[in-house]
Amino acid sequence: NPMNTGLTIASIYCLKSVGSNLIAGTVFGMYLSTNSGTNWTQINTGLPGTLGLIYPSVMSLATVPIGGGGTNIFAGTFFLGVWRRPISEITEVRLSNPTIPDAFSLSQNYPNPFNPTTTISFSIPSRSFVSLKVFDALGREVTVLLSEELSPGTYSQQWNAEGLSSGVYFYRLQAGSFAETKRLLLIR
């Protein structure tokens, strides 16, 4: 059965299982499936972007345990060398409910207050370009959690605030003409 929903290209160079997740290496980088290959999300954070005709083509994947119980994933690329990233940083958006919602919504993060990770959930009723960003109390952008086109559904996105100071932060969801901001509290 075809299992290509979310893949921008069906040419897969390699597959790696990591726990209950699957990671695929393609000519356009890496993709993650958290539901046995039913849906895929691109996870190219840390890989080089498009450089003329050169893409972050991932030809091989390997995992190596690191101290403290974590694991690194290594991506062997075509012409761009080897890239490493902790598996714990792969926090891409995950489709948590396959039903189509009636309206746009942004939920309060959970847990809140948090240290150092929290989960943000949101719903979109139609295919939309979605942007989810975190800002500090002065309105400066801290990180972009998501910036891509998504199909209708309910999603959750984890944010790891490791290395940031305690305080009030804000997260903002923009999807089509919808925009909403909520407050969260990081406590160390």
Side-chain angles (χ1 to χ4, degrees), residues 46-57:
L47 286 173
T50 303
L51 305 170
L53 296 176
I54 302 171
Y55 296 91
S57 299

Side-chain angles (χ1 to χ4, degrees), residues 8 11-14 26 39 89 95 107 142 144 150 176 185 188:
T8 58
S11 296
I12 307 300
Y13 296 131
C14 54
T26 76
N39 297 90
E89 289 182 5
L95 181 63
S107 300
V142 173
V144 176
L150 295 176
L185 181 61
R188 295 283 179 192

Side-chain angles (χ1 to χ4, degrees), residues 130-183:
V130 177
S131 170
L132 181 60
K133 298 179 180 180
V134 178
F135 300 89
D136 66 14
L138 298 175
R140 296 176 296 206
E141 187 177 292
V142 173
T143 190
V144 176
L145 296 174
L146 181 65
S147 182
E148 65 184 81
E149 190 170 2
L150 295 176
S151 299
T154 300
Y155 295 85
S156 63
Q157 172 71 44
Q158 189 177 50
W159 180 42
N160 186 339
E162 188 71 38
L164 294 175
S165 59
S166 295
V168 175
Y169 292 85
F170 297 90
Y171 58 101
R172 180 171 181 78
L173 177 73
Q174 288 186 273
S177 62
F178 175 84
E180 188 172 353
T181 303
K182 293 198 180 273
R183 184 176 80 83

Side-chain angles (χ1 to χ4, degrees), residues 27 35 41-42 45 62 67 78 84 90 97 104 128 137 154 173:
V27 70
N35 55 11
T41 303
Q42 196 170 40
T45 301
F78 180 76
R84 177 189 72 196
I90 298 176
N97 184 347
F104 289 99
S128 303
T154 300
L173 177 73

Side-chain angles (χ1 to χ4, degrees), residues 17-162:
S17 64
V18 180
S20 61
N21 300 319
L22 287 172
I23 298 176
T26 76
V27 70
F28 295 124
M30 296 192 309
Y31 286 80
L32 171 71
S33 175
T34 60
N35 55 11
S36 301
T38 301
N39 297 90
W40 296 88
T41 303
Q42 196 170 40
I43 54 169
N44 281 344
T45 301
L47 286 173
T50 303
L51 305 170
L53 296 176
I54 302 171
Y55 296 91
S57 299
V58 176
M59 308 300 285
S60 61
L61 295 166
T63 53
V64 177
I66 55 176
T71 302
N72 278 330
I73 187 154
F74 288 82
T77 66
F78 180 76
F79 198 65
L80 296 172
V82 176
W83 295 76
R84 177 189 72 196
R85 185 171 178 201
I87 292 289
S88 62
E89 289 182 5
I90 298 176
T91 59
E92 294 300 314
V93 67
R94 294 189 175 101
L95 181 63
S96 59
N97 184 347
T99 61
I100 297 175
D102 295 332
F104 289 99
S105 68
L106 176 63
S107 300
Q108 186 63 50
N109 65 300
Y110 181 82
N112 191 33
F114 69 100
N115 178 18
T117 60
T118 189
T119 301
I120 300 167
S121 297
F122 60 92
S123 297
I124 57 172
S126 59
R127 187 167 190 83
S128 303
F129 185 84
V130 177
S131 170
L132 181 60
K133 298 179 180 180
V134 178
F135 300 89
D136 66 14
L138 298 175
R140 296 176 296 206
E141 187 177 292
V142 173
T143 190
V144 176
L145 296 174
L146 181 65
S147 182
E148 65 184 81
E149 190 170 2
L150 295 176
S151 299
T154 300
Y155 295 85
S156 63
Q157 172 71 44
Q158 189 177 50
W159 180 42
N160 186 339
E162 188 71 38

